[in-house]
């Protein structure tokens, strides 16, 4: 079947690079003679028919913008079979030959559900958590990491001036990839992630003590939000060491900002490949990066995969901290 008209949506948490990806989908589609429609507010917009036609001008000057021009939302209605049926009905009514969904794990589960009603779907990983197992890289991760690194570098200046301990909570939901990357990049005293069981005495207190014995008078503790509350960690540090830690929760600042060059280029390549897959008649695929290149994988296979923190990162962190 020839692909004549497709839709693109962003779903779940926004990530820097989603706009360059939408732009790439639109321009690649038009390049191939395919009409492209933006579905606003994720699957909720698909249920309600919140659709707008996109052209070259619609996505002009969006490659440098954070957030998503299509908006995003989490739809409780779409989690039901009735909601999924409504969304599929919208696709049929509008004559959409395929949907490209940009987001994370939940977005792909939604795409898989939609496919069961006969809709062709392609997923593109866009999440700052970088927790999609089938791909080495997710759109938004690089920008979020650089935002957190910049913030922590500035915090370090004032922590050093006052000889203090700082506990910084980094986003990532139930995954510690962002926190680990940021902690390594900032030379943190300790990094706490949900993938690794925490021995508070050994992983935090002893590292602070070792740093002090090595002549340091300021300490930076990075905590993934899935590993616990930064405030609770700070209280434990105070009880164990008599230090008075300062807590910083970076929060949603990590989701915003101009996407980095890496996010723009990867998003552009992924958006282009997604259109090519639909044009070739493929469906139920996720665009991903593996072994330094771009490829695609079946959604069912992708969702069954599990991702872990690399042991090398844990070993490097152990060697670098407290020195």
């Amino acid at each position: 079947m020839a692909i004549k008209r497709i839709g693109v949506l962003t779903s779940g948490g926004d990530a820097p690079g989603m706009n360059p990806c939408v732009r790439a989908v639109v321009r690649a589609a038009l390049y191939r003679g395919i009409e492209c429609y933006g579905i606003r507010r994720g699957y909720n917009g698909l249920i309600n028919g919140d659709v707008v036609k996109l052209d070259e001008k619609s996505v002009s000057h969006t490659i440098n913008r954070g957030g998503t021009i299509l908006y995003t939302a989490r739809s409780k209605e779409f989690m039901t079979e009735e909601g999924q049926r409504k969304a599929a009905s919208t696709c049929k009514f509008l004559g959409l030959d395929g949907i490209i969904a940009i987001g994370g794990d939940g977005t792909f589960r939604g795409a898989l559900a939609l496919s069961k009603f006969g809709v062709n779907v392609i997923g593109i990983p866009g999440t700052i958590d970088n927790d999609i197992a089938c791909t080495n890289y997710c759109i938004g991760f690089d920008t979020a990491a650089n935002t957190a690194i910049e913030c922590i570098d500035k915090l370090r200046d004032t922590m050093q001036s006052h000889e203090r301990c700082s506990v910084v909570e980094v986003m990532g939901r139930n995954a510690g990839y962002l926190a680990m990357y940021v902690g390594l990049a900032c030379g943190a005293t300790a990094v706490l992630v949900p993938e690794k069981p925490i021995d508070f005495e050994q992983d935090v207190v002893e590292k602070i003590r070792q740093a002090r014995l090595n002549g340091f008078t300021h300490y930076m503790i990075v905590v993934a939000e899935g590993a616990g509350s930064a405030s609770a960690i700070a209280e434990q540090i105070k009880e164990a060491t008599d230090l008075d830690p300062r807590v910083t929760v970076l929060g949603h600042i990590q989701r915003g900002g101009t996407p980095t060059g890496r996010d723009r280029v990867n998003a552009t390549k992924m958006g282009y490949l997604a259109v090519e897959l639909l044009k070739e008649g493929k469906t139920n695929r996720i665009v991903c990066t593996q072994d330094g290149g771009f490829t695609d994988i079946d959604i069912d296979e992708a969702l069954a995969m599990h991702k872990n923190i690399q042991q090398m990162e844990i070993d490097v962190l152990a060697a670098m901290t407290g020195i």
Side-chain angles (χ1 to χ4, degrees), residues 75-277:
S75 175
K76 288 185 178 180
E77 186 178 0
F78 187 75
M79 294 178 184
T80 67
E81 185 175 337
E82 183 183 353
Q84 294 160 12
R85 198 178 296 276
K86 283 183 182 179
S89 179
T90 299
C91 292
K92 186 175 181 179
F93 176 70
L94 296 176
L96 299 178
D97 299 315
I99 296 292
I100 294 175
I102 308 165
D105 183 82
T107 301
F108 301 149
R109 293 188 188 281
L112 182 61
L114 201 58
S115 73
K116 293 177 181 178
F117 293 94
V119 180
N120 296 320
V121 294
I122 302 293
I124 299 177
T127 168
I128 67 170
D129 305 338
N130 206 35
D131 60 347
I132 306 301
C134 66
T135 185
N136 294 328
Y137 187 80
C138 297
I139 296 168
F141 177 76
D142 192 60
T143 306
N146 278 286
T147 296
I149 290 165
E150 182 181 1
C151 290
I152 291 175
D153 284 347
K154 290 179 178 179
L155 274 172
R156 187 188 296 280
D157 291 341
T158 187
M159 290 300 107
Q160 186 173 8
S161 298
H162 292 272
E163 298 184 330
R164 283 178 176 157
C165 176
S166 182
V167 181
V168 181
E169 186 175 307
V170 174
M171 293 185 83
R173 202 174 51 169
N174 298 317
Y177 310 108
L178 183 60
M180 180 65 77
Y181 186 92
V182 168
L184 285 169
C186 293
T189 308
V191 181
L192 306 183
V193 295
E195 292 84 355
K196 182 178 180 296
I198 298 170
D199 180 335
F200 192 79
E201 177 67 27
Q202 195 63 37
D203 294 338
V204 180
V205 176
E206 190 56 34
K207 287 189 176 182
I208 290 174
R209 287 175 179 152
Q210 189 61 51
R212 182 65 187 90
L213 291 169
N214 287 337
F216 292 94
T217 56
H218 63 284
Y219 321 96
M220 184 66 66
I221 313 299
V222 175
V223 182
E225 62 179 342
S229 161
S231 296
I233 298 295
E235 282 298 319
Q236 287 181 270
I237 292 172
K238 186 174 183 178
E239 289 179 13
T241 65
D242 274 342
L243 290 171
D244 187 17
R246 294 293 187 269
V247 174
T248 303
V249 179
L250 296 183
H252 286 77
I253 191 173
Q254 294 158 95
R255 290 199 183 279
T258 301
T260 61
R262 185 182 183 192
D263 272 328
R264 297 185 200 190
V265 171
N266 281 352
T268 299
K269 290 180 178 179
M270 286 179 164
Y272 172 83
L273 181 54
V275 172
E276 290 296 294
L277 290 171

Side-chain angles (χ1 to χ4, degrees), residues 184 188-189 207 214 312-323:
L184 285 169
T189 308
K207 287 189 176 182
N214 287 337
M312 181 183 180
E313 291 186 332
I314 295 172
D315 294 341
V316 170
L317 181 67
M320 295 297 119
T321 54
I323 299 174

